[in-house]
Amino acid sequence: MKTGCCFRYYYIICFNFHTLPTLSRHHLNAPPNTYLATHQSAIMPSIIDSHIHLFPEAELDTHNWYKTPDPPFEGRRSVEEFQSQTGSPPELAGFVFIEADRKNDDSKDWTLPLQEIAWISRIVTGKPRPDEGHTPEDAKLCLGIIPWAPVVLGAEQLEKYLAQAEETAGPEAWGKVKGFRYLLQDKPNGTALGDKFIEGLKVLGKKGYVFDLGVDQHRRGRIQLEEAVDMIDLAHDEVEEDEKVVFILNHLCKPDLTIISQTDPAFIAWRTAMFTLSKCRKTYMKLSGLFSELPDKLKAQSAEEIFSAILPWLAVTLAAFGPGRIMFGSDWPVCTLGTGEDAWKKWHKIVEMVCDLAGLGPEDQELLWSGTARKAYKLDE
């Protein structure tokens, strides 16, 4: 994707954003399902949901986010629930499973992350246990796996973990492992710049794995964005081009969507970081996870109203990365918190509106909905 093409999308969206009162009468006040109906008449591109989490009920309390007496989720979130809430549209080709933050005692205890690998392996191999919420026929839907890995421990310990993870997964499921994630959004400042962390990233790159990057500007501030930029530079320093680790950025780096002015320092810092991060051709962005960053009162609003509110962030993302380095993701089931069980469908509609307002043609839409995920994760290899 040429830079000029990216800015073309930015100018198209920004122009339409500034004329939004006119557009709003079409998008916001149209009869129910009018917008969707106009798009269903066209051939819908294949969809890969590049970011979902799954967990069985029996293992709920193994996650860092499971806090009693009021956990965010009660009961399993498995393939059955995912298919129910998406409506299983025929164009949905499958999903990429992302680790769901299992407890690991600061990377010292690998028992529960390995248990998670065993869980997703049962989905991939079509061997469900009772009441796990998936069937042998669901195996084809899992196109890629991104487990947790103790990248922070450096090369030697990471290599040991990878060997154990491969043994736990078995050959069929291990073939679906395309990279790893180690959440930085809740780690102390400086974690991503440590020598061992950079060493671990270089191991992943050498082995052909991607690194899913989860940082949080909304709650942690611009330091997380600045460290992400420096981390990528360090991870690629003195590394052959074909061994440089690919970074897949989660959720637009979690911008603060409660701010209302594009002159706010937080928005300016985020926008600057997006263009800086996009300069590296080994970075990709997931168009995902934004419901979690919305003010509570907006989460319950319609797709059209949310789209209008977050359009400046969407425009910058498309301008910086272009459809060739942006991939659709839902962050299911996290996206349902405060939004409801129709969250996947609502986000899908918002992304459709992005494609429409930016004037994306069939090829670019195919990239955004599935092609970029296939390329970045090497799903066909």
Side-chain angles (χ1 to χ4, degrees):
M1 181 60 59
K2 296 180 181 179
T3 302
C5 295
C6 298
F7 278 98
R8 176 171 62 85
Y9 298 127
Y10 178 71
Y11 290 131
I12 289 172
I13 290 179
C14 286
F15 173 79
N16 285 333
F17 177 69
H18 289 301
T19 60
L20 199 56
T22 301
L23 292 171
S24 295
R25 287 192 290 274
H26 170 69
H27 289 305
L28 304 185
N29 299 324
N33 298 322
T34 297
Y35 177 86
L36 192 57
T38 63
H39 287 74
Q40 288 177 335
S41 61
I43 298 176
M44 295 298 294
S46 172
I47 298 172
I48 294 175
D49 191 333
S50 68
H51 200 105
I52 77 166
H53 309 285
L54 301 170
F55 39 86
E57 184 171 9
E59 298 174 13
L60 273 173
D61 62 356
T62 67
H63 297 87
N64 280 312
W65 44 260
Y66 187 83
K67 311 290 185 184
T68 57
D70 189 27
F73 299 106
E74 294 183 1
R76 74 187 186 205
R77 295 297 187 275
S78 190
V79 180
E80 181 180 327
E81 289 74 30
F82 175 71
Q83 290 181 304
S84 174
Q85 293 186 21
T86 62
S88 297
E91 61 271 17
L92 182 58
F95 58 80
V96 176
F97 168 84
I98 307 296
E99 64 90 18
D101 197 17
R102 298 280 181 127
K103 297 174 182 176
N104 53 68
D105 191 19
D106 290 329
S107 298
K108 296 188 288 290
D109 186 348
W110 304 340
T111 304
L112 298 179
L114 291 173
Q115 184 184 69
E116 183 175 57
I117 291 175
W119 145 249
I120 192 62
S121 296
R122 293 195 295 275
I123 294 177
V124 170
T125 57
K127 298 176 180 178
R129 292 176 180 174
D131 299 318
E132 282 197 330
H134 60 101
T135 69
E137 290 72 28
D138 295 332
K140 64 182 183 296
L141 293 174
C142 186
L143 305 178
I145 302 172
I146 304 297
W148 174 88
V151 182
V152 72
L153 298 182
E156 183 178 353
Q157 289 299 305
L158 180 58
E159 293 274 14
K160 289 180 181 179
Y161 171 81
L162 294 179
Q164 292 187 34
E166 183 174 3
E167 183 179 359
T168 299
E172 186 176 355
W174 190 250
K176 299 278 188 178
V177 174
K178 302 302 180 179
F180 296 88
R181 188 169 81 152
Y182 177 92
L183 278 174
L184 289 165
Q185 63 190 39
D186 57 352
K187 303 301 186 295
N189 293 342
T191 299
L193 306 181
D195 291 344
K196 286 189 176 297
F197 198 90
I198 299 303
E199 188 178 271
L201 292 173
K202 290 183 177 182
V203 167
L204 296 183
K206 188 172 184 179
K207 291 179 175 292
Y209 293 121
V210 307
F211 181 72
D212 257 62
L213 175 60
V215 295
D216 187 347
Q217 187 223 12
H218 188 170
R219 296 158 193 85
R220 297 291 302 280
R222 65 186 299 166
I223 184 67
Q224 289 238 311
L225 301 176
E226 292 168 351
E227 289 191 356
V229 171
D230 292 341
M231 175 194 67
I232 293 171
D233 287 342
L234 290 170
H236 289 167
D237 187 41
E238 297 183 354
V239 176
E240 295 293 330
E241 188 65 25
D242 61 351
E243 293 186 357
K244 290 180 179 178
V245 63
V246 168
F247 290 91
I248 300 183
L249 313 178
N250 297 178
H251 314 329
L252 278 65
C253 298
K254 288 181 168 283
D256 183 357
L257 300 182
T258 67
I259 62 179
I260 60 175
S261 172
Q262 294 178 55
T263 61
D264 188 293
F267 180 84
I268 294 171
W270 174 83
R271 182 183 62 197
T272 300
M274 292 305 99
F275 283 104
T276 303
L277 288 164
S278 70
K279 289 179 181 178
C280 173
R281 303 303 295 178
K282 296 280 187 176
T283 59
Y284 294 83
M285 179 62 77
K286 288 185 181 179
L287 194 56
S288 62
L290 294 191
F291 286 165
S292 297
E293 313 312 315
L294 292 172
D296 289 340
K297 63 180 180 181
L298 190 55
K299 291 179 181 180
Q301 301 303 312
S302 69
E304 290 84 357
E305 288 167 312
I306 295 174
F307 172 76
S308 177
I310 66 175
L311 191 51
W313 289 269
L314 298 173
V316 168
T317 302
L318 193 57
F321 289 91
R325 288 198 288 144
I326 295 175
M327 64 185 79
F328 170 77
S330 68
D331 195 25
W332 187 90
V334 179
C335 64
T336 66
L337 297 175
T339 309
E341 292 189 356
D342 67 340
W344 194 95
K345 294 177 182 178
K346 184 182 287 188
W347 183 243
H348 176 269
K349 186 174 183 181
I350 289 170
V351 176
E352 280 192 320
M353 295 172 73
V354 172
C355 294
D356 180 59
L357 203 61
L360 299 187
E363 291 184 4
D364 283 340
Q365 289 200 43
E366 187 72 30
L367 286 171
L368 190 152
W369 288 108
S370 61
T372 299
R374 289 190 183 280
K375 176 185 175 183
Y377 281 123
K378 301 178 182 177
L379 297 180
D380 297 323
E381 295 183 14

